[in-house]
């Protein structure tokens, strides 16, 4: 054996013994761009409904979520970890309809749904109708990693979450007076409301107090070229007890596939389920060679709008291109990339 092969074998041994992030220092420059894109719900998000302080609060929390995810990518972490970190910030914030601050169902209870998907192997995990798990996105990850199932609901999901030492809370942890007031206004009307339902926005601050969307989602691309997507929600105010939306349905509200893209949706979930929206976007890219933006537009405007649904989605393709769009007046959203771009927006689409 010559000197060179001894050195190569030694190097290979070193690489295989190192944790993933240390491998990077040997492999160095990532061949893939790093990117994370997030949303905090679509709906009637219009400037006239927000005070400067409210706008700042939303933008700061979105930025915090982006930073939490991006720093993980930068340090060589995985897209799954980045997606989780960004979503946890938004679940813990009462501003969004996920985790603390989730909307109430018709029984005055909060039932949360979440899902996560790994685009490198199409593994996925989801929970539906939970209300004692502090961070439903972590429960979705636990279902993916530690069970042979994809979707667990209610008590069963909570029992397993507890077994895996996820942080459990009393259900009143999720309570916010604002969400309860939204329910009181809708009770008896047999209506379900998206979190920022634009048709209702007749007067200043009406929606921010009463009809705020706020489902949260994140899609990330790491230096291994792996895409992950996650989505978390309280669903829709005054939804029927037991109603499950698109968020925990893989392919409807959430999807990731390294071959194409990652997608996280927000809007009237029933329409996203019927159009299998997230998977449809991926398939348009895969089989019709559509760009992320074109596929997204097709699904939101030619499919969901036509059926009467409202909302939007974020997409991140395998090359790090970000796409977002919505048929509502706004959507809380942002992205951060290794190109140095950092964008946080909430109102109508900027004209390019
Ligand atoms: N898609 C969610 C659901 O239908 C709601 C939302 O995005 O605001 O449960």
């Amino acid at each position: 054996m010559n000197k060179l092969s001894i050195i190569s074998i030694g190097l290979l041994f070193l690489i295989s013994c190192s944790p993933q992030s240390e491998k990077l220092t040997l492999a160095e420059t990532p061949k893939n761009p790093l990117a994370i894109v997030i949303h905090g719900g679509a709906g009637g998000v219009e400037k006239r409904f927000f005070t400067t302080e409210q706008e700042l609060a939303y933008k700061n929390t979105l930025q915090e979520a982006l930073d939490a995810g991006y720093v993980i990518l930068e340090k060589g972490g995985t897209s799954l970890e980045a997606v989780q970190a960004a979503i946890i910030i938004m679940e813990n914030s009462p501003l969004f309809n996920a985790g603390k601050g989730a909307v109430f169902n018709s029984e005055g209870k909060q039932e949360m749904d979440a899902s996560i998907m790994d685009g490198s192997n199409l593994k996925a995990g989801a929970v539906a109708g939970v209300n004692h798990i502090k961070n439903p996105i972590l429960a979705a990850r636990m279902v993916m990693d530690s069970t042979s199932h994809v979707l667990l609901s209610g008590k069963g999901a909570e029992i397993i979450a507890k077994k895996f030492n996820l942080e459990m809370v009393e259900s009143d942890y999720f309570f916010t007076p604002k969400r309860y007031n939204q329910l009181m206004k809708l009770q008896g009307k047999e209506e379900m409301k998206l979190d920022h339902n634009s048709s209702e926005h007749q007067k200043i601050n009406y929606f921010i107090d009463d009809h705020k969307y706020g489902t949260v989602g994140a899609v990330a691309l790491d230096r291994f070229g792996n895409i992950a997507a996650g989505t978390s929600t309280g669903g829709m105010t005054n939804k029927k007890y037991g109603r499950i939306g698109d968020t925990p349905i893989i392919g409807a509200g959430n999807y990731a596939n390294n071959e194409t893209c990652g997608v996280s949706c927000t809007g009237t979930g029933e329409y996203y389920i019927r159009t299998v929206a997230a998977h449809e976007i991926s398939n348009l890219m895969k089989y019709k060679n559509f760009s992320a933006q074109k596929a997204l537009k097709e699904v939101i405007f030619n499919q969901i709008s036509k059926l009467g649904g409202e909302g939007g989605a974020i997409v991140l393709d395998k090359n790090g291109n970000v796409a977002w769009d919505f048929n509502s007046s706004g959507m809380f959203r942002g992205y951060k990339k290794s190109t140095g771009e950092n964008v946080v927006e909430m109102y109508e689409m900027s004209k390019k």
Side-chain angles (χ1 to χ4, degrees), residues 39 41-42 97 113 194-195 213-215 233-236 239 243-247 265-270 272:
H39 72 78
N97 170 22
D113 305 334
L194 281 169
D195 205 23
Y213 286 120
T215 289
T233 191
M236 292 167 59
K239 65 185 181 180
R243 177 264 189 188
I244 294 170
D246 59 317
T247 301
C265 303
T266 169
T268 33
E270 281 68 11
Y272 285 76

Side-chain angles (χ1 to χ4, degrees), residues 142-160:
M142 178 273 300
V143 172
M144 177 173 89
D145 288 349
S146 310
T147 77
S148 53
H149 306 301
V150 168
L151 172 58
L152 291 179
S153 73
K155 249 202 151 78
E158 294 187 345
I159 289 169
I160 295 192

Side-chain angles (χ1 to χ4, degrees), residues 114-116 124-127 135-145 150:
S115 66
I116 196 159
V127 291
N135 292 110
I137 195 68
L138 292 180
R141 177 79 190 269
M142 178 273 300
V143 172
M144 177 173 89
D145 288 349
V150 168

Side-chain angles (χ1 to χ4, degrees), residues 19-79:
Q20 211 162 34
S21 47
E22 276 164 55
K23 273 183 205 170
L24 287 170
T25 46
L26 293 173
E28 227 22 271
T29 352
K31 76 174 179 3
N32 289 294
L34 307 177
I36 180 159
V37 52
I38 60 171
H39 72 78
V45 186
E46 294 173 38
K47 196 157 181 63
R48 63 197 169 111
F49 301 130
F50 290 85
T51 64
T52 315
E53 291 74 37
Q54 286 166 336
E55 183 179 317
L56 205 66
Y58 277 96
K59 285 191 167 169
N60 285 343
T61 311
L62 290 168
Q63 187 63 56
E64 207 189 315
L66 278 178
D67 292 343
Y70 190 78
V71 79
I72 289 174
L73 297 174
E74 219 172 23
K75 286 186 174 159
T78 66
S79 49

